[in-house]
Amino acid sequence: MPSSSSSAPQTHLFGRQRLHAFLGSGKIAEILLWKDKKLSGAVLAGFSIIWFLFEVVEYHFVTLLCHILIAIMLILFVWYNAAGLITWNCPSVYDLEIRESTFRFFCKKLNWFLRKFYDISTGKDLTLFFVTITSLWIMSEIGTFVNTLNLVYIMFLCLITLPLMYERYEYEVDYLASKGNQDLRRLFKKLDSQVLNKIPRGPVKEKKF
C-alpha cells in the first residue's frame, strides 16, 4: 500500500461522494455500482448476448430486432390469452413504458458532457486540453484496429466495472492518479515553457462595455 508520508498532496480522481453524485441515485447508479447484483448481472448478460449474436453469430441488426419483437409478441399473446388458466398476471402496458427520469438523466449527462467539452476546447486548462487531444487520438488509432461493435462493448464493460473497482480500491487508484497527475504537470509545464510560450500571439483586445 502506498506510504501516507508523501509530501505532495494526494489528488482524488473522483472521490466516492463525487462519483455517487455524478451517477445519481436511480436505477443506473444501482446497475453501475452493483447495488442490485441481479439487475447488474442481467444487464451485463444481456449486452454480452447482443455482442455475441452480432459479432460471433453475425446476426444483422434488422433481423435480430424483428426476431426479438416477434418473440415478445408471441409471449405476450399467449400470456394474455391464457391469463385465466395460469396464476401469473399479464403485465400491464405501463410496465413496458420507459420512465421520464431515465431520459432526464441522460439529457443531464449529455448537457454536462457538452459543457465540459466546451470548457476543455477553450484551452483554459492546457494540461487537460492536451490530455484530451492525446486520448482522442489514441482512441482513433484503436478504432482503426477494432470495429465499432467491439469498441462499444469494451466501453460498456469499462462502464459497468470501473465504478465498482474504484469504489472498492479508491485509495490505491487516487494514489496512482496523484503520481500520474504530478508527472503530467511537470511534462506540460516543461512543454509550456519551452514551446508554447515561444509562439507569437496577437494583442488581446479589451472588451468595450
Side-chain angles (χ1 to χ4, degrees):
M1 181 173 294
S3 175
S4 59
S5 61
S6 177
S7 58
Q10 180 170 320
T11 301
H12 292 278
L13 185 61
F14 290 106
R16 186 168 301 184
Q17 294 181 351
R18 289 182 61 187
L19 178 64
H20 289 180
F22 175 78
L23 295 177
S25 58
K27 280 292 182 182
I28 296 178
E30 293 181 2
I31 293 173
L32 297 181
L33 295 174
W34 289 76
K35 300 297 183 182
D36 189 340
K37 295 183 178 180
K38 291 183 179 180
L39 181 58
S40 299
V43 172
L44 178 60
F47 272 87
S48 299
I49 291 173
I50 292 175
W51 172 84
F52 178 81
L53 291 174
F54 281 124
E55 186 64 22
V56 181
V57 183
E58 296 183 352
Y59 244 112
H60 294 289
F61 175 75
V62 175
T63 304
L64 178 62
L65 180 62
C66 291
H67 286 179
I68 292 175
L69 292 177
I70 290 172
I72 293 175
M73 290 180 66
L74 291 175
I75 291 173
L76 289 176
F77 176 81
V78 174
W79 196 344
Y80 183 81
N81 289 278
L85 303 177
I86 57 179
T87 56
W88 294 347
N89 294 325
C90 185
S92 171
V93 65
Y94 298 104
D95 297 332
L96 304 177
E97 293 182 348
I98 301 176
R99 296 181 180 179
E100 293 182 3
S101 58
T102 303
F103 289 101
R104 287 197 297 268
F105 174 84
F106 283 110
C107 289
K108 182 180 179 181
K109 298 309 176 186
L110 178 60
N111 290 331
W112 174 88
F113 171 79
L114 293 175
R115 289 193 296 267
K116 195 70 175 178
F117 180 79
Y118 177 81
D119 289 338
I120 295 174
S121 301
T122 55
K124 297 177 181 178
D125 187 341
L126 286 178
T127 301
L128 186 58
F129 176 81
F130 284 109
V131 167
T132 305
I133 291 290
T134 304
S135 301
L136 291 174
W137 180 79
I138 292 174
M139 289 182 62
S140 68
E141 291 298 316
I142 294 175
T144 59
F145 299 100
V146 183
N147 62 40
T148 305
L149 180 61
N150 287 336
L151 188 60
V152 170
Y153 184 64
I154 292 172
M155 292 174 63
F156 166 75
L157 290 179
C158 293
L159 188 64
I160 203 170
T161 56
L162 292 183
L164 177 64
M165 298 298 293
Y166 179 74
E167 190 177 36
R168 290 187 176 181
Y169 304 102
E170 179 183 0
Y171 181 81
E172 290 80 359
V173 174
D174 285 341
Y175 175 79
L176 294 176
S178 177
K179 296 291 290 184
N181 182 61
Q182 294 173 18
D183 294 338
L184 282 175
R185 286 187 179 277
R186 283 195 295 266
L187 176 62
F188 286 109
K189 186 177 181 180
K190 184 177 180 180
L191 177 66
D192 184 55
S193 61
Q194 295 183 0
V195 180
L196 297 180
N197 283 339
K198 296 181 180 180
I199 299 176
R201 300 180 181 179
V204 179
K205 296 181 179 179
E206 295 184 356
K207 294 182 179 181
K208 294 181 180 180
F209 297 95

